[in-house]
């Protein structure tokens, strides 16, 4: 397989060079390696996934020298054949570039697309974006130029890319890489804030209606927009809470780790994102969610970008009425 991959690598670079198409040798190699790792952890063949990465890079965009009369499948098949890829792999690989089967909907296509996103989250991927290497950041940018994204724009794109990951192994890989991205973004916002004119108004908005957090005492109270009517049932326990704030100390999200099953069962299911779920919040009201598999519950209080987080043990009380949560009260222990 090693010699096959080397031929695919060489033929990909030769073809893209002949077509005057932009490419990045380092990105190509990293993406192929990542695709192999994601595939292996997904129960697929790592070697086939690496082959798929080269095929995807060669045919993801029509080159200016490609013959429009030649079917893409036939051209891709010729590419695989002259690279020595065994015939038994052709069927799975061709689905990656088949216009009738979007890459995200086929197993090896999903591994390659996730590998692309994961590479962008790494140190080399960040350098590639910030220096304008590889394909243009904006496809409609001036010819011959590679516009560089501003750090906030790049951060938003990476956060969006993590949401769009298709496989569980890729989500695990993204968790470690995005920790670095979040720290860099927080440092950037802190340092950029130092250059703000003293008379410029604070960007932070008001707290969400019904939510009150007292950092001095460590008490927090949240009342649902529609608390319902009827008897109030209280669920009390001591557990770990995450309070996430933006750079103006506005509360964005409340995480209740290992919430009681009785509470989780009441809440609508959602995929819990490790850091930025609150950036998907809309409006100024609060909303309750739960990851039923993990047993975690969380409340979005305001839209915004995370800047810092308080993690602490708290005495927690959730009041429920009928089929909905109504109130949340908690006291953070040893608050500083």
């Amino acid at each position: 397989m090693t010699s096959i991959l080397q031929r695919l690598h060489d033929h990909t670079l030769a073809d893209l060079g002949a077509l005057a198409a932009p490419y990045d040798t380092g990105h190509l190699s990293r993406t192929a390696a990542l695709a192999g790792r994601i595939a292996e952890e997904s129960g697929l063949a790592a070697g086939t996934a690496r082959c798929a990465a080269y095929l995807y890079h060669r045919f993801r965009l029509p080159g200016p020298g490609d013959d429009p009369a030649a079917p893409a499948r036939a051209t891709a098949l010729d590419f695989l054949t002259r690279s020595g890829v065994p015939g038994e792999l052709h069927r799975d690989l061709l689905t990656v570039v088949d216009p009738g089967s979007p890459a995200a909907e086929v197993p090896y296509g999903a591994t390659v697309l996730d590998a692309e996103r994961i590479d962008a989250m790494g140190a080399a991927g960040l350098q590639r974006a910030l220096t304008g290497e590889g394909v243009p950041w904006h496809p409609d940018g001036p010819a011959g130029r590679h516009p560089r994204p501003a750090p906030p724009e790049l951060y938003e794109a990476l956060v969006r890319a993590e949401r769009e990951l298709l496989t569980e192994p890729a989500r695990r890989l993204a968790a470690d890489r995005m920790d670095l991205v979040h720290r860099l973004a927080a440092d950037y916002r802190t340092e950029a804030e130092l250059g703000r004119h003293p008379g410029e108004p604070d960007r932070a908005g008001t707290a969400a209606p019904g939510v009150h957090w007292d950092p001095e005492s460590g008490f927090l109270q949240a009342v649902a927009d529609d608390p319902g009517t009827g008897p109030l049932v209280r669920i009390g326990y001591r557990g770990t809470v995450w309070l996430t704030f933006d750079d103006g100390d506005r509360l964005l999200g409340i995480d209740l780790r290992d919430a009681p099953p009785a509470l989780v069962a009441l809440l609508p299911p959602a995929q819990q994102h490790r850091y930025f779920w609150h950036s998907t919040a809309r409006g100024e009201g609060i909303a309750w969610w739960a990851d039923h598999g993990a047993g975690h519950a969380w409340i979005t209080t305001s839209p915004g970008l995370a800047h810092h987080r308080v993690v602490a043990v708290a005495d927690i009380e959730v009041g429920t009425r009928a089929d909905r949560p109504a109130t949340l009260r908690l006291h953070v222990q040893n608050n500083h």
Side-chain angles (χ1 to χ4, degrees):
M1 179 61 79
T2 301
S3 59
I4 294 173
L5 292 171
Q6 186 60 55
R7 285 195 295 271
L8 279 169
H9 181 89
D10 294 342
H11 290 163
T12 299
L13 297 184
D15 284 7
L16 292 177
L19 296 170
Y23 65 88
D24 179 335
T25 304
H27 172 67
L28 180 61
S29 298
R30 293 192 305 271
T31 303
L34 285 167
R37 180 176 174 180
I38 293 169
E40 190 169 33
E41 293 183 18
S42 300
L44 301 171
T48 304
R50 297 182 69 179
C51 292
Y54 289 110
L55 186 68
Y56 172 80
H57 279 83
R58 167 60 182 86
F59 292 99
R60 62 178 175 172
L61 295 174
D66 281 338
D67 180 3
R73 186 181 181 88
T75 308
L77 181 59
D78 174 71
F79 175 78
L80 294 175
T81 302
R82 60 190 170 90
S83 299
V85 177
E88 59 267 24
L89 302 182
H90 290 180
R91 180 178 178 181
D92 285 336
L93 290 172
L94 290 173
T95 60
V96 175
V97 295
D98 187 350
S101 302
E105 298 179 7
V106 297
Y108 288 103
T111 64
V112 173
L113 292 176
D114 276 358
E116 285 276 315
R117 297 177 179 121
I118 294 297
D119 183 64
M121 298 171 190
L126 292 173
Q127 187 267 348
R128 181 172 181 258
L130 290 170
T131 57
E133 297 177 2
V135 297
W137 180 255
H138 296 292
D140 55 353
R145 295 179 58 192
H146 304 286
R148 303 177 185 181
E153 182 185 16
L154 176 58
Y155 177 69
E156 284 295 320
L158 293 176
V159 165
R160 188 164 54 250
E162 188 177 10
R163 290 196 196 108
E164 295 171 351
L165 290 170
L166 301 165
T167 64
E168 187 56 35
R171 295 187 188 101
R172 291 196 295 269
L173 285 171
D176 291 334
R177 295 191 176 209
M178 287 301 287
D179 276 344
L180 170 62
V181 173
H182 291 309
R183 289 199 301 271
L184 287 173
D187 288 345
Y188 173 83
R189 285 193 292 271
T190 300
E191 293 168 15
E193 184 73 7
L194 296 176
R196 188 161 64 93
H197 191 276
E200 186 179 341
D202 195 342
R203 294 190 304 270
T206 58
V211 178
H212 177 71
W213 159 246
D214 183 359
E216 295 299 323
S217 65
F219 282 96
L220 182 147
Q221 177 175 289
V223 179
D225 297 334
D226 180 12
T229 59
L232 185 69
V233 177
R234 292 182 172 87
I235 303 172
Y237 68 105
R238 176 170 291 186
T240 302
V241 63
W242 292 0
L243 305 177
T244 305
F245 303 85
D246 68 7
D247 57 354
D249 287 325
R250 178 179 57 172
L251 182 65
L252 302 180
I254 306 162
D255 244 300
L256 305 178
R257 312 295 290 178
D258 302 314
L263 172 61
V264 172
L266 285 177
L267 303 178
Q271 179 184 4
Q272 184 178 31
H273 297 292
R274 301 177 61 256
Y275 196 94
F276 55 83
W277 68 89
H278 45 77
S279 68
T280 65
R282 294 293 181 266
E284 294 298 331
I286 68 174
W288 296 65
W289 309 94
D291 182 331
H292 289 201
H296 297 159
W298 65 97
I299 301 99
T300 56
T301 62
S302 297
L305 292 176
H307 182 270
H308 58 279
R309 168 175 284 162
V310 173
V311 179
V313 173
D315 292 315
I316 302 167
E317 180 188 273
V318 179
T320 66
R321 283 192 174 96
D323 60 348
R324 72 189 67 186
T327 62
L328 167 69
R329 292 184 177 88
L330 62 83
H331 178 222
V332 173
Q333 301 294 313
N334 301 320
N335 184 54
H336 298 290

